[in-house]
Amino acid sequence: MAAYVIDSVLFRDQFGTSEMRDIFSDETTVQRWLDVESALAKVQEEMGIIPKAAAREIQAKAKVENIDLVELKAEMDRTSHPIVPLLRAMKKACAGDAGEYVHWGATTQDIVDTGTILQIRDALAVVENHMRAVHQNVRDLAKKYRDVTMVGRSHGQQALPITFGFKAAVWAEEMRRNIERVQQMRPRVLVGQFSGAVGTLAALDDNGIEVQERLFKELGLGCPAITWHVSRDAIAELACVLSICANTAGKIAHEIYSLQKTETAELEEPFATGKVGSSTMPHKRNPPACETVIALARLVRGLVPSAIESVMAEHERDKVVLQMERELIPRLFSMTDAALKKIAAVTAGLSVRTQNMERNLYVQNGLLLSEAVMMKLGETLGRQEAHEIVYRICMDVFEKGGSLKDALMADPEVASRLNEGDIDAMLDPHAYTGKAGVFVDRVVQQSAG
């Protein structure tokens, strides 16, 4: 039984993924702590700081299967400390006096922070894979539907024609930028922590800097210029970037959700027989995947203030922010990855109802092309005068019904300047998509490979 949805047998795959559950599991968390302790022992043995035999024993026994997690938890409760019980467990697991050399010159936060960064590194790789899948899917949609005309909307209302490829290309370019953001922040986020009690490496005397540099080379992490025990800006940046990524997924999901509404019916998330929309209305075909992605995006966004709050840490060590991050980071990654994985599945199997896109181009009886008429009249009347005339005609059609074509032909000022052929050409939505195709080509070319 789970008290939180990420670990719930019933709901966990709506709010997380198996990959993230593995990365942030208790077993992996302890293993990452042990990985840091093992690497530290290896480096210190190579430098002659601790005995070779002790280092080899530490490396051999630094496996989570050698740690009784039930006993570890009991000791953590008794000591109110995460790493001291682990060190005692390692001493018990190691032969001879090898356990006495575990954690030499380190402080608890060094191990916890670096272990967390190792988990973040693994988690970012998973997230980026799902982001790339989304990017490829929407890029493919942009190419496939480059020239399929549909209604463009602003303020929730029909505005001008676009193409569905153009809409999908906007999604693709945003996701490309998000992938770039993740890559650019890696050097700032994937930095190890080893600096001793208050960040000065005093316990290791003249060996401190070399141990630090060699440790992070061993772990494949960046080496900080100075301790970041109370500098949590990189974690705050991580939260902000992941929130942007999750909300791009949410934006795509919300657009599909909107365009799946019965009266519009231009898009539909993947449907298979057996998927039920309602317990009482058998006809319903709801968009539950998109709804979940939107919810996840909102939840991830709500985590950002807590990450920013942690930047304001106190003095040289502050466990308050560590406690916040311990809860925050797994939830941040779990829900972001769930959102991206779901929107990847949605965009891979998206139903595009081109016939309904075509139908919806004409529901306003020509009003969709009012700009085209205004611009043509503006060539002889001036833009503002043309706007006034077309506005008057459009509002009359909107209120009284009829078609824009008939209203234009019945207006003397318009009829004296435009013939029926001119009006028919201007009211063709397929001829007024501007450079939509060119923009699609730009995006596809820029994101190639």
Side-chain angles (χ1 to χ4, degrees):
M1 181 177 179
Y4 194 66
V5 289
I6 286 174
D7 298 313
S8 165
V9 172
L10 299 178
F11 299 108
R12 63 189 179 190
D13 289 329
Q14 292 184 41
F15 293 86
T17 64
S18 59
E19 297 97 324
M20 287 303 163
R21 286 193 292 275
D22 288 343
I23 289 170
F24 292 102
S25 69
D26 289 337
E27 290 80 4
T28 304
T29 297
V30 172
Q31 185 59 61
R32 292 295 171 258
W33 293 346
L34 291 171
D35 290 343
V36 181
E37 297 286 10
S38 176
L40 179 61
K42 179 177 185 293
V43 166
Q44 290 179 332
E45 176 267 316
E46 291 170 349
M47 293 176 62
I49 297 173
I50 67 173
K52 179 178 291 189
R56 299 291 170 81
E57 179 67 6
I58 291 168
Q59 291 174 72
K61 297 297 173 61
K63 305 289 188 294
V64 68
E65 53 264 31
N66 292 323
I67 306 297
D68 185 328
L69 295 187
V70 174
E71 184 178 309
L72 182 67
K73 195 267 183 188
E75 277 296 285
M76 288 172 66
D77 289 345
R78 188 180 72 82
T79 61
S80 297
H81 200 281
I83 297 300
V84 167
L86 182 68
L87 300 180
R88 291 172 178 168
M90 276 294 289
K91 181 178 179 179
K92 182 179 177 181
C94 290
D97 66 349
E100 298 291 345
Y101 296 96
V102 180
H103 200 70
W104 198 265
T107 194
T108 291
Q109 192 171 342
D110 292 338
I111 306 306
V112 171
D113 275 346
T114 304
T116 298
I117 294 301
L118 292 174
Q119 290 173 294
I120 287 173
R121 182 174 65 186
D122 293 342
L124 280 175
V126 173
V127 165
E128 189 171 334
N129 282 340
H130 288 140
M131 290 171 68
R132 290 188 181 281
V134 176
H135 178 250
Q136 184 63 52
N137 292 344
V138 294
R139 184 174 174 270
D140 289 346
L141 288 171
K143 289 170 63 178
K144 182 176 181 179
Y145 297 100
R146 177 187 187 274
D147 300 314
V148 173
T149 308
M150 67 177 295
V151 172
R153 298 168 173 90
S154 60
H155 306 280
Q157 307 294 303
Q158 290 202 353
L160 289 173
I162 59 169
T163 68
F164 180 56
F166 177 83
K167 182 185 287 289
V170 172
W171 301 342
E173 179 62 6
E174 186 168 332
M175 190 55 72
R176 185 198 65 79
R177 291 194 299 269
N178 287 340
I179 294 169
E180 188 176 82
R181 288 184 179 101
V182 169
Q183 293 171 334
Q184 288 174 344
M185 78 171 176
R186 282 177 179 273
R188 293 187 292 273
V189 173
L190 300 182
V191 175
Q193 179 86 277
F194 181 77
S195 46
V198 292
T200 64
L201 283 171
L204 290 174
D205 200 18
D206 292 339
N207 292 315
I209 296 297
E210 186 178 354
V211 170
Q212 183 191 60
E213 291 173 347
R214 292 177 67 160
L215 172 62
F216 297 140
K217 184 176 181 181
E218 179 71 23
L219 293 171
L221 298 176
C223 184
I226 194 170
T227 181
W228 52 277
H229 281 154
V230 286
S231 294
R232 317 308 289 185
D233 54 291
I235 301 299
E237 179 182 7
L238 172 72
C240 291
V241 169
L242 290 183
S243 178
I244 292 171
C245 298
N247 277 271
T248 293
K251 187 262 288 295
I252 296 170
H254 189 269
E255 192 73 3
I256 295 168
Y257 169 92
S258 270
L259 295 177
Q260 188 170 327
K261 292 178 181 178
T262 306
E263 294 81 3
T264 307
E266 293 176 353
L267 300 176
E268 185 182 22
E269 71 172 50
F271 178 84
T273 301
K275 185 177 180 181
V276 176
S278 170
S279 63
T280 187
M281 296 170 285
H283 71 280
K284 294 291 293 301
R285 285 170 66 126
N286 294 343
C290 286
E291 289 173 318
T292 301
V293 173
I294 296 165
L296 288 166
R298 291 176 178 175
L299 289 167
V300 172
R301 188 166 65 242
L303 297 176
V304 172
S306 294
I308 298 295
E309 181 73 22
S310 293
V311 175
M312 198 166 60
E314 185 176 87
H315 299 314
E316 280 61 56
R317 297 280 294 283
D318 186 346
K319 188 178 179 181
V320 173
V321 300
L322 297 184
Q323 292 293 77
M324 292 174 68
E325 289 173 3
R326 192 185 308 282
E327 192 276 343
L328 168 76
I329 292 171
R331 195 151 53 107
L332 177 71
F333 271 106
S334 292
M335 292 193 291
T336 297
D337 195 48
L340 290 165
K341 187 174 182 179
K342 289 179 190 304
I343 203 64
V346 167
T347 51
L350 186 66
S351 293
V352 181
R353 312 291 193 197
T354 56
Q355 70 277 16
N356 291 341
M357 291 179 176
E358 181 71 14
R359 177 200 68 198
N360 291 336
L361 291 169
Y362 300 96
V363 298
Q364 286 195 305
N365 294 318
L367 293 178
L368 184 67
L369 280 301
S370 67
E371 182 189 76
V373 178
M374 180 196 74
M375 294 302 291
K376 184 65 176 178
L377 283 175
E379 293 175 5
T380 55
L381 289 172
R383 185 198 177 283
Q384 287 305 114
E385 181 63 22
H387 184 280
E388 295 297 328
I389 293 171
V390 177
Y391 173 82
R392 170 176 50 79
I393 294 171
C394 286
M395 292 304 101
D396 197 52
V397 171
F398 192 94
E399 295 293 338
K400 298 177 181 177
S403 71
L404 180 59
K405 175 183 176 179
D406 291 342
L408 290 169
M409 292 179 63
D411 186 271
E413 289 186 273
V414 175
S416 64
R417 291 170 173 82
L418 301 174
N419 60 40
E420 184 175 1
D422 295 329
I423 293 172
D424 283 338
M426 286 184 292
L427 297 184
D428 177 7
H430 304 91
Y432 203 73
T433 58
K435 300 300 180 185
V438 173
F439 289 125
V440 171
D441 295 341
R442 275 188 185 177
V443 168
V444 169
Q445 183 178 7
Q446 182 167 336
S447 60

